[in-house]
Amino acid sequence: DIQMTQSPSSLSASVGDRVTITCRASQGISKYLAWYQQKPGKVPKLLIYAASTLQSGVPSRFSGSGSGTDFTLTISSLQPEDVATYYCQKYNTAPFTFGPGTKVDIK
Amino acid sequence: EVQLLESGGGLMQPGGSLRLSCAASGFIFSNYAMSWVRQAPGKGLEWVSDISGSGDSTYYADSVEGRFTISRDNSKNTLDLQMNSLRAEDTAVYYCAKQRSSNGGSLNYWGHGTLVTVSS
């Protein structure tokens, strides 16, 4: 099975900072990758699908890139409401594995 | 408005069985594959199982293969997860989620989850 890893596992940044999270697949998954945001105590929310397509209603400061095995989620200007854990998920073939998550908070 | 409402969670002893249900509304249920995703207390998201829109195709995580069965009733717009031989490590909030497109894929709507606790 394809394994998903994320780095870093956590980060602390200042409001307005550019934040980048990396997701890596152990084998190529083309662009079958999604990113989710889960705020504390809340339900996960889809941010990006097909590696780089912004889900409707998601602020444009979020962006995704990559294909194959290496992917990134970027927050161009971190806001207080972006405090959350971010997960990637592969969905090319089962199992539709999630990454372990990256916890983002404000410095 | 898409709504997903899970039910059926509770406290079970190891080795027991439980059936989770998810009532869906606000979309053409049979057109979309559906997923179960779980989250153990303080842990990350774990994909559990998928079922195609027709119900003909099902997929399971290795951790639940042979113990859990996913099913759907497209006439009632319901998704189920039959959980047998429960273990302590099955303790989690279980989310029902809708896939974004008719071809499957990412999960664009999630229920609020139902808590399953497996403990003696």
Side-chain angles (χ1 to χ4, degrees):
Chain A
D1 292 345
I2 296 173
Q3 306 303 314
M4 305 299 293
T5 58
Q6 287 183 234
S7 61
S9 56
S10 65
L11 67 89
S12 185
S14 300
V15 172
D17 281 355
R18 183 181 184 87
V19 168
T20 298
I21 298 168
T22 297
C23 175
R24 180 163 291 170
S26 60
Q27 297 175 41
I29 58 171
S30 185
K31 290 197 148 193
Y32 294 99
L33 186 100
W35 288 98
Y36 301 89
Q37 176 193 62
Q38 187 177 31
K39 296 182 178 181
K42 301 297 186 183
V43 174
K45 172 186 173 182
L46 177 65
L47 295 178
I48 286 169
Y49 61 92
S52 59
T53 304
L54 204 64
Q55 172 70 357
S56 175
V58 173
S60 59
R61 63 180 179 274
F62 291 93
S63 64
S65 65
S67 67
T69 59
D70 295 320
F71 302 87
T72 58
L73 172 69
T74 299
I75 308 173
S76 61
S77 176
L78 187 68
Q79 300 300 305
E81 59 266 33
D82 300 334
V83 169
T85 301
Y86 294 83
Y87 298 92
C88 60
Q89 182 199 23
K90 63 173 278 292
Y91 56 89
N92 56 329
T93 57
F96 304 114
T97 311
F98 287 89
T102 295
K103 187 174 182 180
V104 174
D105 63 25
I106 301 293
K107 192 182 295 182
Chain B
E1 177 192 5
V2 172
Q3 292 193 350
L4 300 169
L5 184 62
E6 302 94 338
S7 61
L11 174 63
M12 290 300 300
Q13 291 193 337
S17 297
L18 203 58
R19 190 175 186 91
L20 305 183
S21 290
C22 172
S25 60
F27 63 102
I28 302 173
F29 184 66
S30 59
N31 282 2
Y32 294 90
M34 298 290 293
S35 300
W36 286 99
V37 176
R38 69 185 181 184
Q39 187 167 35
K43 302 297 184 182
L45 302 174
E46 180 186 11
W47 172 78
V48 173
S49 183
D50 265 31
I51 187 168
S52 62
S54 65
D56 289 347
S57 298
T58 58
Y59 308 90
Y60 299 94
D62 288 346
S63 58
V64 307
E65 179 86 54
R67 300 187 299 122
F68 290 10
T69 302
I70 192 172
S71 61
R72 64 191 297 160
D73 185 335
N74 286 343
S75 68
K76 296 181 179 179
N77 289 358
T78 56
L79 173 72
D80 288 343
L81 186 68
Q82 177 66 42
M83 309 164 63
N84 297 333
S85 303
L86 284 164
R87 304 168 180 168
E89 54 265 36
D90 296 320
T91 294
V93 173
Y94 285 73
Y95 295 103
C96 157
K98 169 191 169 291
Q99 296 192 14
R100 189 189 63 81
S101 78
S102 57
N103 293 325
S106 54
L107 306 173
N108 64 340
Y109 287 95
W110 297 62
H112 280 83
T114 187
L115 176 62
V116 172
T117 303
V118 183
S119 175
S120 55

